[in-house]
Amino acid sequence: MKRERRRWYDDACGTAMALELVGERWSLMIVRELMFGPRRFSEIKAALPGLSANVLTQRLEGLEESGILTREKLPPPANAQVYALTPWGYEAEKPIQLLGAWAVRSPEHDPTLPLSAASAMMSLRTMHNPELTGDLDIIVGFRMSDDAFVGRYNRDGIDLKRGDPSGADVIFNGPPTAIAGAVYGGALAELEAAGVLRIEGDHALAEAFVTRFVLPPKWTEG
């Protein structure tokens, strides 16, 4: 039986409704983790280490009841239960991108904090600027611990999905924080020298790719 939703706001505004749906702590980050495809409970938990198993269970139940995600079972031989966004759930990507692009302008945003693989990939989709792309049109891949992504980058954006990046024009190998440091911190050479990040494929393309993404300027008063 579907439980009665606890209402926080007596307000017909769409923003209020959005907060009713994903405003509880961790809910929006769980949605973010599912943007690149279904994930097991353990995989979501590993990507969000500050989230307890009990709270994760509660949030998954709430998001399922809201129609944002659904439970699925992987075919044999896996036979594992996974959580996947519904078509409506996937529509949350654009609002998440807009909210993220707005929030990183805060002087309090700390880019050195931990970053999940999905968060790093979402940031690339968020910060894509066709004016910076030029004529660059490549297949780019990322390997981060147990997670891997591949996609085409050009003026239309970066169409990333989970998958084996073998055969991509260039592949970045390293933790999400190192990839973010190369892209947004201009530290590709330093990270390579330290052995934190490794490049496969065309190194010139890697150097070109990391210059195509720029964080928005910090907000300053006055």
Side-chain angles (χ1 to χ4, degrees), residues 54-171:
N54 183 51
V55 173
L56 175 54
T57 298
Q58 294 174 16
R59 297 297 178 266
L60 289 170
E61 289 176 351
L63 291 167
E64 184 177 15
E65 289 178 357
S66 298
I68 296 170
L69 63 77
T70 185
R71 302 185 201 197
E72 298 178 354
K73 192 168 185 179
L74 295 178
N79 289 322
Q81 178 178 276
V82 294
Y83 296 88
L85 294 177
T86 62
W88 180 52
Y90 277 112
E91 291 180 17
E93 179 173 359
K94 184 57 68 175
I96 291 174
Q97 290 178 345
L98 292 173
L99 188 62
W102 170 74
V104 296
R105 296 194 64 208
S106 167
E108 297 183 15
H109 174 246
D110 185 355
T112 66
L113 291 174
L115 197 68
S116 75
S119 180
M121 298 297 96
M122 180 67 75
S123 77
L124 295 178
R125 299 219 294 217
T126 301
M127 299 303 167
H128 169 257
N129 184 342
E131 294 181 1
L132 298 178
T133 305
D135 59 357
L136 195 62
D137 190 339
I138 62 173
I139 303 299
V140 59
F142 303 89
R143 290 196 183 101
M144 296 169 277
S145 300
D146 296 328
D147 223 345
F149 298 79
V150 64
R152 184 172 186 175
Y153 171 78
N154 55 30
R155 289 184 63 85
D156 294 330
I158 180 165
D159 186 22
L160 287 166
K161 62 181 180 180
R162 281 194 172 90
D164 183 4
S166 299
D169 297 315
V170 59
I171 302 172

